[in-house]
Amino acid sequence: MTNQKALVLTSGGIDSTTCLAWAVRDLGAENVLALSMFYGQKHQRELQAAADVAKWYQVKHLQLDLSNIFQFSDNALLQGSAKAIPHTDYAEQLATGDGPVSTYVPFRNGVFISVAASVAIAHGCNRLYYGAHADDAAGFAYPDCSEAFNHAMAEAIKQGTGGQLKLIAPFVQDNKAGVIAHGLHFGVPYHLTWSCYEGGAEPCGECGTCRDRQEAFRINGVEDPLAYPQKPTNNGDETK
Amino acid sequence: MTNQKALVLTSGGIDSTTCLAWAVRDLGAENVLALSMFYGQKHQRELQAAADVAKWYQVKHLQLDLSNIFQFSDNALLQGSAKAIPHTDYAEQLATGDGPVSTYVPFRNGVFISVAASVAIAHGCNRLYYGAHADDAAGFAYPDCSEAFNHAMAEAIKQGTGGQLKLIAPFVQDNKAGVIAHGLHFGVPYHLTWSCYEGGAEPCGECGTCRDRQEAFRINGVEDPLAYPQKPTNNGDETK
């Protein structure tokens, strides 16, 4: 097809799974690698989802353990932290005006992208995809998802690899509903994905990422294919 | 003194040791942390040097093992690689026109800086120093030492941390002799440093980094305090 080869950062969630589908569409599964990170998160359900998605697309799946890097952070997502995962959506958390949300792991995306860049070059890739989108950056919830961050990081990778690798964030101007719109068009297997910050057998339906996910499906006029123990009621008028 | 707190990336070499001295001068040892990385390099003599230097300056010294990240790279510096460390200086290696030198570990500085940024924030630092200088970037030997890379990375860190952390590369426009000129002024303990890519009890004096180091001292009119088994002869007229 081409002499392009890509590495895609995947987490098992909506955005990175859609990003993987995008890369496979562009280059073919044989020219795509997926890379997922364990960073000390409390549960590993999302890594299983990432593996399931890679298997679905028949792409090689690499995993790296970066938990030692984040051992110094006290963050609600991480093992060893006493902080509870907030059961409010990002807009409510940001209304406190305290800057990044409590689930912001310091410069996590910067670390993930830099590590992925090194791994990508070692595997002969010339493209690196990741699924950042505008919703995550809104109000500085996750500053390392912003378009400004992405632009600077793309330049750092271009300069720091001597032009060998290009960073691509296809959804950096989309919101989450827009990402899902792309994915529905591509037939993305969203039933295999996992977004919940809690580690139960089913998604909790209450944490910020569960709420945002369900809302983004609703905006597209479809139901989230995951089974939730209880449906949130804040948009009950659209529940089918 | 101030409410500034810094993390300094240190490798035990000339540049990062001088950079540590710079940060200690600016902020005081009590406001400075040093961080060194094991990345799978064939020998760990340089990590011992980094520890010795941190002890000299009485700053807390952290070490992280990032070797799993670079496990896929076939590079002359890394364990498991059959490639020999070149015994020519960078100018000779670059004359081949093949781009980065064989001791370029893909995007290593990008990974180091990103990881250091995360660790720095977890420790309440608002400055991150590293010792990149113009010689290493010359001719794209190490593209992740260039001023363009540094500029983009600084912007990525500013954007990706919501302005919490500033990247500072004080020597990005200096050559190695210029770095040493600063260090001689600060009384840097260069006898504790280690630059050689080989792992012997004494520096080999022949690898690219040994040659460049000795030349940079000569330009400053002083002798490298390390004991070399045999002095190179290419500038024998200045040997005292």
Side-chain angles (χ1 to χ4, degrees):
Chain A
M1 186 180 179
T2 66
N3 60 355
Q4 303 289 313
K5 192 174 171 188
L7 186 146
V8 184
L9 266 169
T10 61
S11 69
I14 293 279
D15 314 318
S16 67
T17 299
T18 310
C19 196
L20 179 63
W22 186 288
V24 167
R25 181 206 58 172
D26 280 358
L27 305 180
E30 68 280 14
N31 294 310
V32 174
L33 284 172
L35 172 65
S36 304
M37 311 295 196
F38 174 66
Y39 58 94
Q41 58 268 54
K42 285 174 176 165
H43 67 90
Q44 299 188 39
R45 178 65 183 79
E46 62 193 54
L47 288 178
Q48 183 57 51
D52 292 345
V53 165
K55 193 174 175 186
W56 172 279
Y57 280 110
Q58 298 183 288
V59 301
K60 186 175 172 182
H61 186 223
L62 304 170
Q63 287 196 39
L64 278 177
D65 182 348
L66 304 184
S67 56
N68 63 335
I69 294 171
F70 300 105
Q71 65 185 287
F72 312 107
S73 300
D74 182 21
N75 175 285
L77 293 185
L78 301 180
Q79 294 171 6
S81 172
K83 287 184 182 169
I85 290 169
H87 282 191
T88 51
D89 64 23
Y90 296 144
E92 290 172 67
Q93 294 174 50
L94 286 166
T96 65
D98 291 336
V101 295
S102 72
T103 46
Y104 169 71
V105 178
F107 208 56
R108 188 186 67 181
N109 278 359
V111 172
F112 284 5
I113 292 167
S114 295
V115 169
S118 184
V119 173
I121 290 175
H123 284 87
C125 298
N126 45 19
R127 295 184 180 193
L128 170 59
Y129 288 83
Y130 84 118
H133 63 83
D135 275 2
D136 278 347
F140 293 105
Y142 293 99
D144 54 353
C145 289
S146 70
E147 192 172 358
F149 166 73
N150 176 66
H151 182 77
M153 202 71 214
E155 183 66 14
I157 286 176
K158 178 185 168 190
Q159 296 295 338
T161 65
Q164 288 185 70
L165 188 70
K166 185 177 182 184
L167 180 67
I168 300 171
F171 312 130
V172 76
Q173 295 184 317
D174 290 312
N175 62 13
K176 202 172 193 77
V179 173
I180 291 177
H182 290 297
L184 292 171
H185 183 62
F186 297 157
V188 168
Y190 287 124
H191 63 284
L192 297 177
T193 64
W194 185 267
S195 305
C196 181
Y197 283 151
E198 305 281 0
E202 293 181 327
C204 74
E206 294 297 323
C207 69
T209 183
C210 273
R211 289 170 184 235
D212 290 348
R213 171 188 171 121
Q214 292 171 91
E215 174 65 10
F217 274 102
R218 265 194 295 271
I219 290 168
N220 279 282
V222 298
E223 255 196 292
D224 186 342
L226 295 186
Y228 291 90
Q230 46 185 354
K231 292 285 182 185
T233 55
N234 57 338
N235 271 292
D237 54 328
E238 284 185 48
T239 305
K240 295 190 180 83
Chain B
M1 185 180 181
T2 66
N3 60 355
Q4 302 289 313
K5 192 174 172 189
L7 187 145
V8 183
L9 267 170
T10 60
S11 69
I14 294 279
D15 313 320
S16 67
T17 299
T18 310
C19 195
L20 179 63
W22 185 290
V24 167
R25 181 205 60 172
D26 280 359
L27 305 179
E30 68 279 13
N31 294 311
V32 174
L33 284 172
L35 172 64
S36 304
M37 311 296 196
F38 174 65
Y39 58 95
Q41 59 268 55
K42 284 175 177 165
H43 67 90
Q44 299 189 39
R45 178 66 184 79
E46 62 193 54
L47 288 177
Q48 183 56 51
D52 293 344
V53 164
K55 194 175 175 186
W56 172 279
Y57 280 109
Q58 298 184 286
V59 301
K60 186 174 173 184
H61 187 223
L62 304 170
Q63 287 195 38
L64 279 178
D65 182 349
L66 304 184
S67 56
N68 62 335
I69 294 171
F70 300 105
Q71 65 186 285
F72 312 107
S73 300
D74 181 21
N75 175 286
L77 293 184
L78 301 180
Q79 294 171 5
S81 172
K83 286 185 183 169
I85 290 170
H87 282 192
T88 50
D89 65 23
Y90 295 145
E92 291 172 64
Q93 294 175 49
L94 286 165
T96 64
D98 291 337
V101 295
S102 71
T103 47
Y104 170 71
V105 179
F107 208 55
R108 188 186 66 180
N109 278 359
V111 172
F112 283 6
I113 292 168
S114 294
V115 169
S118 184
V119 173
I121 291 174
H123 283 87
C125 298
N126 44 20
R127 294 184 181 192
L128 170 59
Y129 288 83
Y130 84 119
H133 64 83
D135 275 2
D136 278 349
F140 293 106
Y142 294 99
D144 54 353
C145 289
S146 70
E147 192 172 357
F149 166 74
N150 177 66
H151 182 77
M153 202 71 214
E155 182 66 15
I157 286 177
K158 178 184 167 189
Q159 296 295 339
T161 66
Q164 288 185 71
L165 189 69
K166 185 177 182 184
L167 180 66
I168 299 171
F171 312 129
V172 77
Q173 294 183 318
D174 290 311
N175 62 14
K176 201 172 195 76
V179 173
I180 290 177
H182 290 299
L184 293 172
H185 182 63
F186 297 159
V188 168
Y190 287 124
H191 64 285
L192 297 177
T193 63
W194 185 267
S195 305
C196 180
Y197 281 151
E198 304 282 0
E202 294 180 326
C204 73
E206 294 296 323
C207 69
T209 183
C210 273
R211 290 170 182 235
D212 290 349
R213 171 187 171 122
Q214 292 172 91
E215 174 65 13
F217 274 103
R218 266 195 293 272
I219 290 169
N220 280 281
V222 298
E223 255 195 293
D224 186 342
L226 295 187
Y228 291 89
Q230 48 185 356
K231 293 286 181 184
T233 55
N234 56 338
N235 270 292
D237 55 329
E238 283 186 48
T239 305
K240 298 189 179 81

